[in-house]
Amino acid sequence: MSGRDLRPIGVFTALAFALAWLFALPLWFGDGLASPWFTPVATATMMTPAIAALIVVFFVERPQQKAWTLGLWPLRPVRRLLVYSALGIFVSIALVLVALPVGALLGVYPADFTNFSAFQQALDEQADTAGAAQIPIPIGALIALQIALLPLAAFINLIPALGEELGWRGWLLPKLIPLGTLPALLVSGVIWGLWHAPLILLGYNYPDAPGWLGLTAMVAMCVLIGAVFGWLRLRSGSVWPAALAHAAFNGAGGTYLLFAAAGEHVDTTQATVLGWSGWIVPLALVVVLIATGQFASAKHPSTPPSKKGRLPAHPATGQVTRE
């Protein structure tokens, strides 16, 4: 990679990290994760990679086809876009859910797949607090309904997820492709993981772990899950499947509470998709994708309309290609 490539990558990374820390300052100087401002701060922080990418695209690189550079366009071929979007949603949900029985089999996730006792306890406590009668729906049916509605989270959470994906997979990953696809996935995953530091060091996701362990676990998870999101980006030539996958992943993240045993502690450094037992299936998936050549970034037929005297750009990388 040349200095011309490294400069915008450095500017983007510095901006994304600096803005994330800036946005998190109210939590650090306030009540931390217990702050009433936590949700708006966390949501705003998710937008910082997009802000950084837009600043670099509009003021540093200034390419002719900005939407292509960010992966926002084109929305065709429609069939390819829809297929990879659907794959992103359901594969993300599956990775979150399959981590739970794997963790249970390995003895690190205290599961209750029969009576759903932790969820039942939470419902009972909420009913007592509200002074209302218990919900007249079998607990199993309520669990099934919650799982069935998970794909909707991909659309409900799309905007904040796009705030991240526009930066990480929309802009950064294609810029790192000259390193080679696998190194690009590794580097972008590490950067994505470290970017979470302002919240992870406050105890987010890993409340029982020391900061260094929580951040290390977050980086490892981001490398694996980021490789799956990167596969969606490179194969589809669009950021939208990765954004939908990210949104679905976030929406499914709390499902471990549905299947836990009442009164048992869940250590997220070991259990759920955040912990080591939850990385086994994503790692196996990434190995299969590599072995089957799924990360090969073949040129797609949908290229931006070329200017007179200019060659079309690759839809995934934004780089000029020769026919």
Side-chain angles (χ1 to χ4, degrees), residues 21-42:
W21 278 101
L22 179 64
F23 284 19
L25 284 180
L27 304 182
W28 279 85
F29 289 105
D31 297 325
L33 302 184
S35 170
W37 292 99
F38 172 74
T39 298
V41 165

Side-chain angles (χ1 to χ4, degrees), residues 196-208:
H196 287 88
L199 298 184
I200 298 298
L201 295 178
L202 286 173
Y204 184 66
N205 280 346
Y206 303 96
D208 303 312

Side-chain angles (χ1 to χ4, degrees), residues 190-234:
V190 169
I191 292 174
W192 181 31
L194 293 175
W195 167 85
H196 287 88
L199 298 184
I200 298 298
L201 295 178
L202 286 173
Y204 184 66
N205 280 346
Y206 303 96
D208 303 312
W212 68 266
L213 179 58
L215 190 57
T216 300
M218 193 67 187
V219 169
M221 192 272 291
C222 285
V223 169
L224 290 173
I225 300 301
V228 177
F229 294 170
W231 165 67
L232 294 167
R233 166 68 168 109
L234 295 175

Side-chain angles (χ1 to χ4, degrees), residues 244-271:
L244 287 165
H246 193 150
F249 185 84
N250 287 353
T255 52
Y256 75 94
L257 298 171
L258 302 178
F259 302 102
E264 297 291 338
H265 177 69
V266 179
D267 182 354
T268 51
T269 61
Q270 300 189 66

Side-chain angles (χ1 to χ4, degrees), residues 77 80-81 84 87 173 181 227-238 241 289 292-302 314-316:
R80 183 184 71 205
L81 185 64
Y84 281 103
L87 278 172
L173 178 59
T181 302
V228 177
F229 294 170
W231 165 67
L232 294 167
R233 166 68 168 109
L234 295 175
R235 296 300 296 182
S236 69
S238 171
L289 292 174
T292 56
Q294 287 293 306
F295 285 108
S297 53
K299 177 180 177 294
H300 294 299
S302 54
H314 189 288

Side-chain angles (χ1 to χ4, degrees), residues 73-89:
W73 196 260
L75 301 179
R76 64 179 194 275
V78 174
R79 180 179 177 182
R80 183 184 71 205
L81 185 64
L82 292 177
V83 166
Y84 281 103
S85 294
L87 278 172
I89 292 170

Side-chain angles (χ1 to χ4, degrees), residues 179-193:
L179 295 174
T181 302
L182 296 184
L185 291 167
L186 176 61
V187 172
S188 62
V190 169
I191 292 174
W192 181 31

